[in-house]
Amino acid sequence: VAPASIAVVAHRVAHGGAAFSGPAVVDEATISKIERLAGLAPFENPANLTGIRAARETFADAAHVAVFDTAFHATMPPSSYRYAVPTALYEEHRVRKYGFNGPLFEDVADKVAAAYESLASSESTMVIAHLGAEDAAMTCLKGGRSIDTTTGLTPTEGLVGGTRAGDVDGSLAAFLERELGLSGGDVDATLTQKSGLLGASNGLSARMHDVKEAALRGDADADLARALYVERIRKYLGAYLVKLDGKLD
């Protein structure tokens, strides 16, 4: 494909914070905001920016648009996105739940609605589970809008992932720093790259297929990892059904 024949390039960006509640034209101001949000998605946003910069050079005459994983969840109410922490942390540092995987959830909602003539995606009430090979997340839709989701300030919160711990005690980081001497970066790496299915299975695998197969062969660590994964899904499913008054489309 000749670069000159491309009119628009869309870029998926992990974290848009409170700055982006929808797609944004990529310019220097947009890039600067994405850079400032890298602390909330330290692995994803810098990689996204690398792709954006390369694409802008290759497709210099095209319009570039950023689509944010977090934007779909901008409709959550404060009771869903606020944390019970000092107000100053929210007002001055925007510490809150943002949610991720927005484009995926929106696409699933649209496809489910398209499959049923009586259901419009703009009015749908459903719970969507993204149970990928290495990561997992859920979201709760009411009237076609996200009212809650499992991921939070970063993608680490929520379900057990391939290498992400999901929900843990908030004081775990302090414990690891105090008792094991880990730095903040070490703690983050432990919870995002060494935990989840990989950690609970004692290093066997970050993929559910491998963990399930090992569990069926009698591997106790794999069996526990699978049980933790399923139990967290059950926990959120129950909570979301209550939030929707037990009513789904």
Side-chain angles (χ1 to χ4, degrees):
V1 178
S5 68
I6 302 298
V8 180
V9 179
H11 303 272
R12 181 179 176 183
V13 179
H15 214 307
F20 300 100
S21 59
V25 173
V26 175
D27 53 22
E28 292 306 315
T30 298
I31 289 174
S32 178
K33 290 178 182 178
I34 295 173
E35 285 179 327
R36 290 199 297 271
L37 291 166
L40 296 175
F43 303 107
E44 295 87 351
N45 272 30
N48 299 153
L49 282 172
T50 298
I52 287 173
R53 290 186 173 109
R56 292 182 83 196
E57 289 185 10
T58 302
F59 305 102
D61 296 327
H64 292 258
V65 178
V67 179
F68 299 89
D69 269 29
T70 51
F72 181 69
H73 303 293
T75 53
M76 291 190 296
S79 58
S80 290
Y81 71 70
R82 286 287 297 272
Y83 293 128
V85 297
T87 302
L89 288 177
Y90 169 70
E91 294 181 342
E92 298 174 20
H93 303 286
R94 311 308 290 177
V95 173
R96 51 158 287 183
K97 172 182 284 195
Y98 291 100
F100 294 86
N101 304 107
L104 181 149
F105 288 130
E106 186 172 16
D107 182 58
V108 171
D110 288 342
K111 287 180 177 177
V112 170
Y116 296 92
E117 294 183 3
S118 61
L119 182 63
S121 61
S122 61
E123 301 173 358
S124 59
T125 297
M126 63 180 75
V127 175
I128 303 174
H130 161 53
L131 307 179
E134 296 184 2
D135 264 315
M138 294 171 66
T139 199
C140 179
L141 303 186
K142 186 173 185 179
R145 300 162 74 87
S146 173
I147 62 170
D148 205 352
T149 191
T150 56
T151 48
L153 175 73
T154 74
T156 304
E157 184 181 347
L159 302 184
V160 173
T163 62
R164 291 173 178 150
D167 293 341
V168 295
D169 188 313
S171 294
L172 176 59
F175 174 84
L176 294 175
E177 291 178 3
R178 182 178 63 250
E179 300 297 327
L180 278 68
L182 300 186
S183 68
D186 291 336
V187 171
D188 189 63
T190 297
L191 298 179
T192 61
Q193 300 175 48
K194 302 176 183 179
S195 296
L197 291 176
L198 180 66
S201 67
N202 199 22
L204 173 70
S205 178
R207 296 176 62 85
M208 175 54 79
H209 174 78
D210 298 335
V211 170
K212 181 179 178 181
E213 289 296 313
L216 292 174
R217 293 194 301 268
D219 186 303
D221 290 324
D223 190 55
L224 175 61
R226 184 167 178 260
L228 289 170
Y229 184 93
V230 172
E231 183 61 23
R232 191 69 55 78
I233 294 169
R234 288 163 59 92
K235 174 183 175 181
Y236 274 105
L237 178 59
Y240 288 169
L241 287 174
V242 170
K243 183 165 284 198
L244 295 173
D245 300 318
K247 300 175 182 178
L248 295 171
D249 286 324

